[in-house]
Amino acid sequence: MNLTEERITIPTEAAKGREREIMHYQINIDNYERAITEIETNYTDPDILAFAEQLKNLLASSKLEQTKEQIMLKVIKEQLECMSD
């Protein structure tokens, strides 16, 4: 593979990795939201309610990290578009 091909291959693979990360974050976000709802609806045990608070923190963190991945994916795709022009 020559350097020109590699210059396209590397960001293309990076974009695929970012897309997978975004999907993984979304799976976690969905699971955290469902678990929080489940706990708040059906549980009163203080330890389980504390777990819901931990999940809320994880939810916020996952949303932030997913947004970061989305930003990076956007700029990688823009870079690839510039290369194809």
Side-chain angles (χ1 to χ4, degrees):
M1 177 181 312
N2 66 40
L3 289 177
T4 302
E5 291 171 338
E6 196 169 343
R7 176 122 172 88
I8 294 170
T9 300
I10 291 171
T12 299
E13 291 302 315
K16 290 177 186 176
R18 299 284 180 180
E19 288 170 342
R20 282 190 296 275
E21 287 298 315
I22 291 167
M23 179 187 62
H24 289 160
Y25 281 116
Q26 190 59 52
I27 290 167
N28 285 337
I29 289 166
D30 294 343
N31 287 336
Y32 296 152
E33 288 175 339
R34 289 173 187 241
I36 291 165
T37 299
E38 171 68 18
I39 292 167
E40 289 178 344
T41 303
N42 298 310
Y43 293 85
T44 57
D45 181 284
D47 291 333
I48 298 299
L49 295 174
F51 175 56
E53 290 304 312
Q54 291 173 340
L55 291 175
K56 288 177 185 178
N57 290 330
L58 290 170
L59 175 61
S61 175
S62 291
K63 286 181 176 181
L64 174 61
E65 294 303 317
Q66 184 185 50
T67 300
K68 291 177 185 179
E69 291 290 345
Q70 289 167 333
I71 291 167
M72 293 308 299
L73 176 59
K74 181 179 186 281
V75 299
I76 290 169
K77 285 183 174 182
E78 288 171 354
Q79 180 185 30
L80 286 167
E81 286 176 17
C82 291
M83 294 168 140
S84 65
D85 292 341

